[in-house]
């Protein structure tokens, strides 16, 4: 029976019972009204109101749960679907809402995959241009400066050496940016070497010391999974360098409960009540892309911990 039918039926039953009680019972209404009659009628009206309130409360309880789910739904943080409890339109509404969430998550996953693929392709293109165009140009400038300095007098040679150092520092920065845009070490040497290089590179900046622990029994992973793990570690260390005001960080990759787990923890100021920015949203999108779980927390000792758990499929473990 529909929700409308149940409410209408109960109201009809209550009114019929009340009318029968007035017709068949000994209760009468005098003129003027007696206090006893007022109490009896008031009690009856109160009973009708209580019965209606209870029916509406229990009948609409599934809708309250659905309302809370709608308010807290976040496509970047999937949660278990609501059980389709209730009857009639209520259960159908919950099933429709669950189907809508499934469709939205699937569409978002497809869109995120396309966007991230395009992003990686653009990063590779920019890194290639930085390496081939800007890098080679700066290298040529360095060679020309060296040639001119060899034929200049001492005072001019000293100034040219300063220009050489500035140009060499710019070339190193261009190469570092190109490596961050396109981690060639990940494609050539694998995830373990790439994470070690990332930790070493991050330790050279902003006075941050990064220690890494990478278990040797990491199973072979899909290239897309390795890229997601690398990008999450990269973004976590970038956030640590820019925002955490930390002096130490740890990068740990290990196998735990049939999953490859990446943990990046620092001793900074923690995430507090600050809203999640584009970097964290990007990490969540990448995690959803490979069916992984991403958690951010502030451990009891302070700082921030980023944990990425990637389920390992059986073929990969073999």
């Amino acid at each position: 029976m529909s929700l409308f039918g149940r409410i209408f039926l109960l109201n009809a039953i209550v009114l019929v019972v009340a009318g029968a009680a007035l017709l068949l019972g000994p209760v009468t209404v005098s003129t003027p009204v007696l206090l006893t009659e007022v109490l009896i009628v008031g009690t009856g009206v109160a009973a009708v109101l209580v019965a209606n309130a209870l029916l509406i409360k229990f009948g609409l309880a599934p809708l309250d749960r659905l309302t809370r789910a709608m308010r807290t739904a976040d496509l970047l943080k999937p949660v278990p679907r609501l059980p389709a409890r209730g009857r009639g339109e209520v259960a159908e509404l919950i099933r429709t809402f669950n189907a809508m969430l499934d469709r939205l998550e699937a569409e978002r996953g497809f869109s995120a995959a396309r966007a991230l693929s395009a992003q990686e392709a653009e990063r590779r293109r920019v890194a290639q241009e930085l390496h081939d165009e800007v890098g080679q140009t700066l290298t040529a400038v360095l060679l020309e400066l060296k040639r001119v300095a060899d034929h200049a007098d001492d005072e001019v040679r000293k100034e040219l050496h300063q220009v050489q150092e500035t140009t060499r520092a710019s070339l190193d920065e261009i190469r570092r940016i190109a490596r961050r845009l396109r981690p060639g070490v990940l494609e050539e040497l694998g995830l373990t070497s790439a994470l070690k290089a990332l930790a070493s590179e991050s330790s050279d900046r902003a006075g941050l010391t990064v220690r890494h622990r990478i278990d040797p029994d990491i199973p072979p992973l899909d290239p897309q999974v390795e890229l997601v793990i690398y990008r999450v570690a990269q973004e976590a260390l970038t956030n640590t360098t820019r925002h955490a005001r930390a002096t130490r960080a740890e990068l740990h990759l290990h196998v735990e409960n049939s999953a490859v787990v990446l943990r990046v923890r620092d001793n900074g100021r923690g995430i507090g009540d600050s809203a999640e920015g584009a970097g964290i949203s990007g990490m969540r999108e990448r995690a959803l892309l490979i069916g992984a779980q991403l958690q951010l927390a502030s451990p009891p000792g302070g700082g921030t911990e980023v944990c990425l758990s990637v389920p390992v499929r059986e073929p990969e473990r073999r």
Side-chain angles (χ1 to χ4, degrees):
M1 184 180 298
S2 66
L3 181 62
F4 169 78
R6 293 199 304 274
I7 294 177
F8 177 79
L9 179 61
L10 181 63
N11 282 326
I13 292 175
V14 171
L15 291 176
V16 168
V17 171
L22 289 175
L23 293 174
L24 304 178
V27 178
T28 59
V29 179
S30 305
T31 304
V33 180
L34 300 177
L35 178 59
T36 305
E37 296 171 343
V38 172
L39 294 176
I40 293 175
V41 174
T43 303
V45 172
V48 172
L49 293 176
V50 170
N52 276 276
L54 291 176
L55 173 68
I56 295 174
K57 179 178 178 60
F58 289 110
L60 300 182
L63 295 181
D64 292 336
R65 292 187 292 108
L66 182 61
T67 302
R68 290 194 297 270
M70 288 179 175
R71 289 174 178 171
T72 58
D74 188 348
L75 296 181
L76 291 178
K77 302 176 183 178
V79 296
R81 298 293 181 256
L82 287 175
R85 298 174 183 172
R87 299 177 181 178
E89 295 95 333
V90 176
E92 183 62 26
L93 181 60
I94 295 177
R95 283 192 291 268
T96 303
F97 175 71
N98 291 338
M100 182 191 68
L101 281 184
D102 293 337
R103 185 173 64 255
L104 289 176
E105 288 182 2
E107 291 176 355
R108 183 182 181 89
F110 178 72
S111 300
R114 293 185 59 183
L116 292 176
S117 177
Q119 184 184 81
E120 290 297 334
E122 184 67 12
R123 285 184 173 188
R124 285 193 295 269
R125 185 189 66 80
V126 173
Q128 192 70 28
E129 290 185 359
L130 286 175
H131 182 272
D132 294 343
E133 302 295 335
V134 182
Q136 291 183 8
T137 300
L138 289 179
T139 301
V141 170
L142 279 175
L143 294 176
E144 186 66 19
L145 286 173
K146 182 178 183 304
R147 187 188 67 79
V148 174
D150 291 340
H151 297 84
D153 55 41
D154 292 341
E155 183 177 354
V156 175
R157 184 182 299 113
K158 183 178 180 181
E159 295 179 357
L160 288 175
H161 284 165
Q162 293 179 352
V163 176
Q164 280 182 291
E165 292 302 319
T166 301
T167 305
R168 186 174 291 107
S170 299
L171 180 59
D172 292 339
E173 182 67 14
I174 289 295
R175 289 172 175 170
R176 185 186 67 81
I177 294 174
R179 287 196 302 270
R180 289 182 62 83
L181 290 174
R182 180 177 179 268
V185 65
L186 177 63
E187 300 175 358
E188 298 169 2
L189 301 179
L191 180 62
T192 298
S193 299
L195 290 179
K196 290 180 180 179
L198 178 63
S200 176
E201 180 182 345
S202 300
S203 296
D204 297 337
R205 294 183 297 157
L208 180 67
T209 301
V210 181
R211 298 179 179 178
H212 59 79
R213 292 183 298 156
I214 302 177
D215 292 357
D217 58 346
I218 301 298
L221 300 172
D222 185 87
Q224 187 181 37
V225 175
E226 290 188 346
L227 181 60
V228 169
I229 293 176
Y230 179 85
R231 289 301 188 195
V232 170
Q234 185 183 52
E235 184 64 33
L237 290 176
T238 299
N239 288 340
T240 297
T241 303
R242 293 178 179 176
H243 309 297
R245 301 177 185 173
T247 57
R248 298 189 313 274
E250 294 182 359
L251 188 154
H252 187 196
L253 185 70
H254 63 285
V255 178
E256 179 181 327
N257 297 328
S258 299
V260 175
V261 179
L262 170 73
R263 297 183 188 274
V264 180
R265 180 174 179 176
D266 61 56
N267 66 339
R269 58 180 182 176
I271 54 179
D273 298 330
S274 58
E276 295 185 357
I280 296 179
S281 297
M283 288 193 289
R284 293 194 183 279
E285 288 183 350
R286 290 182 182 275
L288 289 177
L289 189 62
I290 60 172
Q293 292 184 349
L294 181 75
Q295 295 180 345
L296 280 78
S298 294
T304 303
E305 181 180 83
V306 177
C307 179
L308 177 71
S309 179
V310 184
V312 179
R313 300 183 181 90
E314 289 302 323
E316 291 177 337
R317 291 189 65 84
R318 288 197 296 268

